[in-house]
Amino acid sequence: MALPSVWSAVRVAILSLSVVGLLSVRLVGAGQDSGSVIPAESRPCVDCHAFEFMQRALQDLKKTAYNLDTRTETLLLRAEKRGLCDCFHAIH
């Protein structure tokens, strides 16, 4: 019967450590918020960063699409060539 009491003690210890950990994280976060504030004029707007990010993502997608298109064409040409060669060898 000692085993269930050990498990309950371990559960309470884990729960207590979790609560203390969460409280310490909230206190650390609160301490960092009270630091110096960068004026809005010197910070780039979030929309500008989002636009730049989306622009780069779009360029990456275009490159990927081009690479996939080129790769698909190459594979199709290989398949057609293989089909023609197999047909040619079957005739002769």
Side-chain angles (χ1 to χ4, degrees), residues 1-64:
M1 282 308 243
L3 191 58
S5 64
V6 170
W7 278 113
S8 63
V10 169
R11 287 160 119 186
V12 169
I14 291 173
L15 182 62
S16 300
L17 287 173
S18 298
V19 169
V20 169
L22 287 173
L23 288 175
S24 65
V25 167
R26 292 184 95 190
L27 290 175
V28 168
Q32 290 177 351
D33 289 340
S34 62
S36 62
V37 177
I38 299 172
E41 296 83 24
S42 63
R43 287 181 284 152
C45 65
V46 174
D47 291 339
C48 296
H49 285 302
F51 178 76
E52 290 171 359
F53 174 78
M54 294 302 289
Q55 196 173 24
R56 281 188 302 244
L58 183 59
Q59 288 172 351
D60 290 344
L61 285 173
K62 285 180 181 179
K63 287 179 187 175
T64 303

